[in-house]
Structures are given as C-alpha cells and as structure tokens.
C-alpha cells in the first residue's frame, strides 16, 4: 500500500525509536596461539569445548602448552576459544613457508599403465636464486626448462649528491608492506656522499638495504626478491635532500619470494613451461614430476643444470605398461608428525559391488575411522575424494588425492603406513608466535575474528612475545582486547620482579594486559606423553582466562567484578604451584608493587588469584575488572551506535545518541559497573554544542563525551584495633573528671 497522500486514506507510519537498544558485546572470548599436535596452521578455529579442541587440534604432545591451556580454560568455565596453531616459517610474512609437512602414502592399483615419475628428495619451501632452473627431458624429447625468477623491489634517488643531511633529519620508508620505519640520521655534514648516506641507512633500516652505485646513484632495495617485494619511501625531512620518489615499487618475477618458493609455485611454473609433465597437486614433502603419458614409452630425466635444492636425481625414469600404479595418495589432513602413526587399509566393499572398496584409517594400531563402499570414479555418488575429504562428515585424520589413472581402477586390498610427516618445530622462534600482519600468521591470524576479547600465548613467555601481545591488544585491536601474560618458567619472586621491571620492561607499559605468577601444578592428563609423574607444571593463562569467563557469566555485569580473591578468583584443577615462595606474604610483598598478580593459597583456603592489577598503574583504568569493564562498554557502544552513521548531524540525532548511550549506561549502573547507583554520580554523557561546534559538524563528525566513575577493588583490608575505654571514660565523666 502506498504511503503517498493522493486519495483519502488512512496511512500507518512506524516512527524510528527514540532510544535504540545496544547489544552487549562478548567479554571472555579467548584468542590463543601455540603449538598443537595437528590442525590447520595460521588459521583461527573456534572451539566451544575441550572435546572439540581435541577433534580439531589433536591430543597432548610434549610441546602442547596450548592443549593444556585449553583444558584449563574449559575446566574453569570458559566456553569460546579461538585457537591458532603455529609452526616455524622460513618467512613469517608468507604462510606457505610453514615448515610442517604431511606424512603420506600411496594406495596402488594393479595392472594399469603408469606414468614415469621423478620425485625430489628435498622438502619445500625451496631456497632459490634468480634464474635457478628445472631442466628435464620428457619422453625422449629435447630438454625443456622451467626458470624461476625473482628480483627485489628497488627505488633510486633522483638527486645524485652530495647530500645536505643534518643530525636529527628523518627518513620514512616502508618495506614489504611492513610498518613504516622512521630512520633518524646522525650528523653527516652539508655534503655527505652517497656512500655515507647508504651506510647511515643500513645501520637503521630493517628488511632492506641501501646501495651507493657510482653510475646508478643511491638506491634502497628490499631484502626480499619476487613479486611480494615492495619498497616505498613515504617522506621525512631528509628526503628533500635525497630526492627519493614516494610511490610504491614492487619486485618482479614469477614467484612471490625467490628464497622461499612454495610447492604450489613450483607446480605453476613447471606446468606452464614444460610440455607433457604434471606436478603432483599439493606436494607436501617434496616435488613429484610425472609424465602425462603412461606406459613403457613414457620417460623423464632431470639434467645436471637443475638446481640441486630440489633434490632431483639425473637417472632416467620410465613408466610401465601394466605395473602397480599409484591410484590414490593418502596424506595427513594437516601437516605434522602425527600422520606418521597412521595407516590406511583397503578392504573388500561392504556392499560386495565390483569396482567399490572400503577404506579404514588406523592410528597407533587402533581403528579410528571407516568409510564403506567408496568409488574411484569422480562421477559416482560415493567418489572417494567427495566422501573422505568432506569438511563436515569426512575424515578428521587424513585426506585423499585421486591420481586420476585412466579407467579409474580401484586400489587392491592392502595396508600402507603414512611417513614423512614433520611438525615443523625446528628453528621455531618468537616471530612464529608473533606473526605478520601481511601474512596473517601468529597473533595476526586472529585479525579476522571480531569478538576476541582476551589473548594468550601459552608456552612462549618471552619479552618479545609479551610485548607483542600487549601491542596487539592495545594498538592492532584498538584497545578492544586484553592480554593475559604467563610467567617464564622457574621464576622466584625476585626473578619475576626483575623480569617484569627490567628484562621485558612490562611495568607501566599498558593497561591492556596483566601478568600472573607463578606457573601452576595440575594433574598429569597423559602419562604416555608427559611421563609417570602425578603432576605437571603448566602456564596459568588458560586457567586464568577460564576464571575470567566464569566470573563474567556468574551474573549480569559479572565483567565488572574483579576475577580475584577466594570466591571469584578460585582456580579449579590447580593442585599447587611451581614455587612455594608465593605462599609467603613477604615474597608477595616483593611482586605485588611491580603489578604482578600472585596465585596463592592459605590454610583452609582454595588456590586462588590474589591480585587484579594491570601492568600500568597511572592510567585511566589500572585494574583488570575496571579495564575489561570499560572495554566491554566501549565495544558495546561502538556496535550499538552504528545506526547514527551517515545520518544528518542534527540536534535530534545527537539527542537520540545521548539517550541511547544513557539508557545503556543506566543498565550497566544497575549491574554494578560504577561506584554509585545515582546516575549523576555514576556517569555523564555530553553531546552538547560546545563539543559539536559548526566546524566539527562541517568535518562530518558527531562527538559524544562519556565519563565513567568505575569501581575500584579493595586490595587492602585495614583493621584498626585499640583498647575499648568507653566504660572508663563514662565513669570519669560521671565523676566530673
């Protein structure tokens, strides 16, 4: 029905609400980065129970601090954990450079023509130089080559020098899409040479280098070579003298990074350049070249000019007319050494239908999965790739890759063991946990998860990781997340105080993180993995986050309650502490002033969190519940005020914004968010004309100022005890004394 008033009618119009509801943001969604037995690498996966975590990421391993943290989180009341598996990367900005590899085996079919195959002996990613090649002869033909190219991005200064660069002049540059670097020059004089400027830059720049060429002049190049290489001079006072153009320059080539060429890139380059050869899809261990042709006439041979890094021998390899052929490649669903414990068993089909077969997956001698009546024919409804690789109902341990043999023969009855899997932990560094915003690795794998409110990295308690966690929560997440830091292992009271104040320089760093000490003892959950000891010492961050979640969920407004003390701070599953120093009040007196939250107990008391301080004491909101409560309010308001964007900035809109914020804060006041239950004392909301001046409105802004009188915890209870002299004083008064 039209609302136009053209003929006489009754029109119903629903008015826009004067006060809009603001949904509450989640407060205890944890993002965790660490080592797991298996699971996808550099991808955040939501787990809502420890059983779900184990289904995706496997069980316990000697390095599985993340699994232990997840167990403690869910045991103490947590319900949402986004887990990220990390391994060592040769280039942290390139997720494909992860060094973990899948174990694999082939299921063979008898009596079919086979291709000639040339398998490498080296695992990727491959460290190449510009111009490295794979040279092969195929089916007796002439040599063919696939050439790998990658040159670094480089930008050259327009000015030829000498250069007038003064002490304190700045030079701004961004390399490989990394953060902008500010280089501050020393005193070079009024006529510095290109070599002197290059030397000064090289002492300060990260990820690149400056070169002074007598002919080409002064240039800056990335250390990365390939299409992912980028250099951009973005400004600085020194650039007026140097004369670098400010546009972004990219490297060239047919791979992203010539020194970390992935298996996928090898496949692309080789198949584009070499006729009659296919590279096995998703090569997880080493490259595998095979002829498209099959039979005894098919052949392939690598030449000596092939780069040795691929591990290809120079022997002539032939196909066969009717030999056993690799019909199916069975490999770990995820990279990792866990797949070396798997076997794939082919059995006669349950249905008895010719051309079908059953597949079972065995782990450590135990049958884990079975898939009946599978077909090697892609057109069949029970095609093996469709069934086994299904994301929801398929295998959680393996995946299958059809080798596309002619006629789609079924594999023979057989059992094969997978081999070649590697966890990729050799060379693991802090950077693998910290990650890269470009590659979305490490912490940055959490970037796409909007609801993250807590961040932990169990098992990597180092200064670099701790500082990166705090920076990620405060800067990368715009202050909308909170970091829970573990102590390094084996720390005494004086040791942890020194670590926080000096070694890691965490004291006073930020309100967006808190550190807890010491590590805690829990019941050994897997004696076959951790040995016969009854208890294990583990990082406490997962347990602490579980306590946060339990406190948050205990009542409406639970996020405003300090997760500490013998009631709210009780830690379930904790049997003791790494050091008994924390049981001594004098030792706690050493750590608490350094804003370290002790974990302790006492006679007849549970094991509990005995502190609720953030790392910074002189900011706006220096306590854990206070800071997290404000994060909750800010996140909720940010989401709830989206309706105001792109509307005309009128007095009516500003009044609606004020009422909406006020209504939300009244609810929070009643939930115990503030020091007072009187609105005028608890908070204020200001959208006045003093804030929203004509110039502000013309700039497209609507400014609302919100003040919060947040709660402060009672850290110290002081009892003042004296002699009761009231009776004596009354007697003296009666006597007129």
């Amino acid at each position: 029905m039209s609302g136009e008033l053209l003929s006489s009618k009754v029109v119903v119009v629903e008015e826009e609400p004067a006060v809009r509801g603001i949904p509450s943001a989640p407060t205890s969604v944890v993002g965790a980065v660490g080592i797991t037995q298996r699971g996808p690498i550099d991808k955040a996966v939501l787990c809502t129970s420890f059983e779900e975590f184990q289904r995706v990421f496997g069980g316990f391993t000697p390095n599985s601090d993340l699994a232990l943290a997840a167990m403690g989180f869910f045991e103490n009341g947590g319900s949402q954990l986004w887990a990220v598996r990390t391994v060592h990367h040769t280039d942290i900005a390139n997720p494909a450079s992860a060094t973990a590899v899948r174990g694999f085996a082939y299921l063979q079919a008898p009596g079919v023509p086979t291709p000639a195959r040339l398998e490498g002996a080296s695992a990727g990613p491959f460290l190449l130089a510009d111009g490295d090649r794979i040279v092969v002869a195929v089916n007796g033909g002439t040599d063919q080559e696939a050439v790998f190219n990658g040159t670094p991005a480089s930008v050259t200064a327009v000015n030829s020098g000498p250069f007038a660069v003064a002490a304190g002049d700045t030079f701004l540059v961004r390399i490989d899409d990394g953060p902008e670097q500010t280089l501050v020059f020393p005193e070079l004089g009024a006529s510095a040479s290109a070599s002197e400027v290059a030397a000064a830059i090289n002492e300060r720049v990260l990820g690149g280098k400056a070169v002074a060429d007598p002919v080409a002049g002064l240039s800056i190049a990335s250390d990365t070579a390939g299409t992912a290489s980028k250099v951009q001079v973005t400004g600085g006072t020194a650039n007026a003298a140097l004369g670098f153009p400010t546009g972004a320059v990219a490297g060239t080539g047919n791979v992203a990074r010539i020194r970390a060429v992935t298996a996928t890139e090898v496949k692309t380059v080789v198949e584009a350049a070499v006729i009659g050869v296919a590279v096995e899809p998703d090569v997880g261990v080493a490259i595998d070249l095979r002829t498209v042709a099959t039979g005894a006439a098919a052949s392939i041979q690598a030449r000596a000019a092939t780069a040795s890094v691929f591990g290809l021998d120079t022997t002539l390899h032939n196909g066969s007319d009717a030999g056993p052929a690799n019909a199916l490649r069975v490999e770990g669903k995820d990279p990792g050494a866990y797949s070396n414990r798997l076997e794939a068993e082919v059995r006669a089909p349950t249905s008895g239908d010719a051309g079908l077969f059953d597949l079972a997956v065995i782990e450590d001698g135990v049958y884990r999965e079975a898939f009946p009546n599978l077909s090697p024919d892609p057109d069949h409804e029970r095609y093996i790739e469709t069934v086994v690789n299904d994301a929801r109902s398929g295998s959680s341990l393996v995946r299958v890759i059809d080798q596309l043999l002619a006629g789609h023969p079924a594999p023979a009855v057989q059992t094969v063991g997978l081999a070649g899997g590697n966890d990729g932990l050799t060379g693991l560094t802090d950077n693998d946990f910290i990650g890269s915003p470009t590659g979305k690795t490490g912490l940055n794998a959490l970037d796409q998860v909007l609801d993250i409110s807590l961040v932990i990295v169990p098992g990597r308690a180092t200064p670099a990781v701790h500082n990166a966690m705090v920076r990620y929560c405060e800067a990368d997440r715009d202050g909308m997340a909170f970091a829970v830091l573990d102590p390094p292992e084996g720390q005494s009271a004086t040791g942890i105080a020194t670590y926080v104040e000096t070694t890691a320089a965490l004291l006073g760093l930020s309100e967006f993180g808190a550190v807890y000490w010491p590590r805690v003892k829990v019941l050994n959950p897997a004696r076959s993995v951790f040995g016969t000891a009854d208890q294990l010492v583990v990082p406490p961050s997962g347990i602490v986050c579980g306590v946060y979640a339990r406190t948050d969920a205990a009542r409406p407004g639970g996020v405003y309650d300090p997760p500490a003390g013998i009631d709210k701070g009780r830690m379930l599953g904790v049997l003791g502490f790494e050091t008994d120093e924390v049981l001594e009040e004098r030792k706690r007196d050493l750590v608490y002033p350094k804003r370290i939250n002790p974990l302790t107990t006492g006679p007849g008391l549970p094991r509990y969190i005995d502190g609720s301080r953030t790392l910074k004491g002189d900011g706006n909101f220096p306590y854990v519940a206070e800071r997290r409560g404000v994060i909750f309010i800010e996140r909720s308001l940010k989401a709830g005020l989206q309706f105001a964007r792109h509307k005309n900035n009128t007095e009516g809109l500003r009044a609606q914004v004020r009422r909406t914020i006020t209504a939300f804060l009244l609810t929070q006041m009643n939930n115990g968010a503030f020091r007072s239950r009187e609105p005028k004392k608890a908070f204020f909301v200001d959208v006045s004309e003093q804030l929203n001046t004509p110039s502000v409105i013309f700039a497209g802004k609507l400014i609302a100022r919100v003040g919060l009188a947040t709660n402060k915890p009672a850290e110290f209870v002081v009892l003042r005890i004296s002699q009761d002299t009231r009776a004596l004083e009354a007697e003296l008064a009666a006597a007129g004394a």
Side-chain angles (χ1 to χ4, degrees):
M1 176 179 173
S2 172
E4 294 184 86
L5 302 179
L6 301 177
S7 63
S8 177
K9 65 182 70 172
V10 176
V11 177
V12 177
V13 179
E14 290 191 4
E15 293 186 351
E16 182 179 343
V19 178
R20 289 182 176 256
I22 292 184
S24 295
T27 59
S28 51
V29 179
V30 175
V33 178
I35 299 168
T36 64
Q37 183 186 56
R38 53 185 173 87
I41 298 169
D42 299 321
K43 179 182 178 183
V45 179
L46 176 62
C47 304
T48 57
S49 68
F50 188 54
E51 291 72 25
E52 188 173 0
F53 177 90
Q54 289 179 303
R55 182 180 61 79
V56 177
F57 293 101
F60 298 105
T61 69
N63 301 302
S64 58
D65 285 309
L66 180 51
L68 292 165
M71 181 180 70
F73 173 69
F74 290 113
E75 185 177 6
N76 276 272
S79 61
Q80 295 188 65
L81 175 74
W82 287 87
V84 175
R85 178 190 177 194
T86 191
V87 300
H88 178 53
H89 301 71
T90 57
D91 180 359
I92 199 63
N94 180 12
S97 71
T99 56
V101 294
R102 292 178 171 87
F104 73 99
Y106 288 100
L107 298 175
Q108 294 186 322
V112 296
T114 65
R117 298 181 61 197
L118 177 60
E119 295 185 74
S122 304
F126 302 99
L127 177 62
L128 303 181
D130 183 42
D132 276 351
R133 299 176 292 164
I134 290 178
V135 184
V136 292
V138 181
N139 302 331
T142 58
D143 289 355
Q144 302 182 65
E145 65 177 26
V147 183
F148 297 85
N149 298 119
T151 61
S154 179
V155 59
T156 302
V158 174
N159 299 338
S160 58
F163 305 100
V165 179
D169 276 354
T170 58
F171 183 66
L172 308 182
V173 63
R174 180 175 283 112
I175 296 177
D176 296 345
D177 287 329
E180 185 178 70
Q181 301 180 47
T182 301
L183 314 182
V184 181
F185 278 96
E187 179 61 56
L188 297 181
S191 57
S193 67
S195 297
E196 290 174 322
V197 172
I201 291 175
N202 288 334
E203 287 180 359
R204 294 159 176 81
V205 72
L206 299 175
K209 59 182 177 295
V211 177
D213 185 274
V215 177
L218 180 65
S219 63
I220 297 176
S222 167
D223 289 339
T224 302
T227 56
S229 173
K230 291 183 181 178
V231 173
Q232 182 179 14
V233 175
T234 55
T237 56
N239 200 39
L242 303 178
F244 280 101
T246 55
V249 178
T252 62
N254 56 6
V255 294
R257 293 171 174 80
I258 196 68
R259 298 181 64 81
V261 177
T262 66
T264 301
E265 290 175 319
V266 172
K267 173 181 173 66
T268 301
V269 174
V270 170
E271 291 184 352
V274 179
I275 299 173
V277 166
V279 179
E280 179 142 358
D282 193 46
V283 180
V285 177
I287 63 169
D288 182 357
L289 282 68
R290 56 182 176 170
T291 59
V292 175
T294 59
S299 67
I300 186 169
Q301 184 175 21
R303 301 305 192 191
T306 297
S308 60
V309 69
F310 294 111
L312 299 171
D313 65 63
T314 55
T315 303
L316 179 66
H317 297 266
N318 294 100
S320 65
D321 288 330
N326 293 332
L328 298 167
R329 176 181 169 118
V330 182
E331 60 185 26
K333 182 175 182 179
D334 305 302
Y338 83 95
S339 54
N340 299 336
R341 308 199 311 269
L342 302 178
E343 295 176 287
E345 180 180 276
V346 177
R347 301 183 296 212
T350 304
S351 66
D353 293 347
L356 302 183
F357 62 96
D358 289 359
L359 178 69
V361 180
I362 304 168
E363 182 180 28
D364 293 331
V366 179
Y367 285 89
R368 299 294 188 189
E369 299 173 335
F371 301 93
N373 303 318
L374 300 175
S375 171
D377 185 353
D379 294 328
H380 195 280
E381 64 179 357
R382 294 287 295 172
Y383 177 46
I384 184 169
E385 279 197 16
T386 303
V387 175
V388 176
N389 299 346
D390 186 88
R392 295 179 60 86
S393 60
S395 174
S396 61
L397 296 174
V398 300
R399 67 180 187 180
V400 177
I401 300 174
D402 188 355
Q403 302 301 287
L404 302 176
L405 295 180
H408 311 299
V413 173
Q414 60 194 289
T415 301
V416 298
L418 279 61
N422 189 292
D423 286 329
L425 302 183
T426 302
L428 196 72
T429 68
D430 288 344
N431 284 336
D432 294 306
F433 294 84
I434 296 169
S436 162
T438 303
K440 299 302 180 186
T441 53
L443 287 170
N444 293 104
L446 299 169
D447 287 355
Q448 305 305 315
V449 185
L450 301 181
D451 286 344
I452 293 294
S453 51
L454 298 169
V455 173
I456 60 174
V457 183
R460 201 71 181 188
T462 66
V465 171
H466 280 162
N467 277 270
M469 290 171 65
V470 173
R471 181 173 61 250
Y472 180 75
C473 290
E474 184 170 1
D476 294 12
R477 303 291 298 204
D478 292 327
M480 297 296 168
F482 189 84
V484 178
L485 310 184
D486 288 310
E489 61 180 312
Q491 293 292 317
S492 64
T494 55
I496 190 65
T498 300
Y499 174 82
V500 168
E501 184 173 21
T502 305
T503 308
L506 296 171
L507 184 60
L509 179 64
S510 174
E511 293 178 359
F512 294 90
V515 62
Y516 293 84
W517 168 83
R519 302 192 335 151
V520 298
K521 293 180 180 179
V522 299
L523 190 67
N524 185 347
R527 291 178 180 245
S528 62
V529 175
F530 300 114
T532 58
D534 291 334
Q535 299 178 2
L536 294 181
V537 177
V538 303
S541 57
I543 294 171
V544 170
C545 286
V547 173
Y548 282 14
R550 188 178 71 234
T551 303
D552 293 355
R555 67 172 186 86
V559 69
Y560 306 121
D561 293 334
I566 61 174
D567 294 325
K568 301 291 187 183
R570 183 165 49 96
M571 297 181 293
L572 305 178
V574 173
L575 305 177
F577 304 100
E578 184 179 31
T579 173
D580 287 340
E581 281 193 4
V582 77
L583 305 180
E584 303 176 36
E585 187 175 287
R586 289 181 298 174
K587 298 297 185 180
R588 298 198 299 274
D589 286 345
L590 295 177
V591 302
Y592 203 56
K594 306 301 181 185
R595 307 197 69 78
I596 300 164
N597 297 309
L599 310 175
T600 190
T601 188
L605 299 178
R607 292 168 181 90
Y608 64 95
I609 300 170
D610 191 26
S612 57
R613 292 183 168 187
T614 69
L615 296 169
K616 186 175 182 179
D618 57 356
N620 278 332
F621 309 106
Y623 293 97
V624 171
E626 191 180 14
R627 178 71 266 178
R628 293 185 62 238
V630 172
I631 290 174
F632 162 71
I633 290 173
E634 290 175 348
R635 293 183 66 187
S636 299
L637 290 177
K638 185 174 181 179
L641 294 176
Q642 293 295 323
F643 76 89
R645 297 172 61 222
H646 305 300
K647 289 189 175 181
N648 288 331
N649 193 348
T650 63
E651 186 176 340
L653 177 65
R654 295 193 292 275
Q656 187 180 22
V657 167
R658 185 189 69 249
R659 288 193 297 269
T660 300
I661 296 174
T662 300
F664 176 74
L665 294 181
L666 283 172
T667 300
Q668 303 316 306
M669 180 190 71
N670 292 327
N671 286 340
F674 310 123
R675 293 195 295 272
S676 174
R677 291 299 179 100
E678 296 182 37
K680 290 184 179 180
K681 296 181 179 179
F683 63 86
F684 69 79
V685 181
D686 181 8
V687 290
S688 64
E689 293 181 354
Q690 286 72 28
L691 288 176
N692 293 277
T693 61
S695 60
V696 168
I697 294 173
F698 269 74
K701 300 176 184 178
L702 189 160
I703 298 177
R705 185 165 180 260
V706 180
L708 307 174
T710 51
N711 276 315
K712 305 288 183 181
E715 295 183 279
F716 311 98
V717 177
V718 180
L719 300 178
R720 296 179 177 174
I721 299 176
S722 64
Q723 180 68 253
D724 185 351
T725 61
R726 289 176 297 174
L728 177 59
E729 291 171 355
E731 183 179 349
L732 292 174

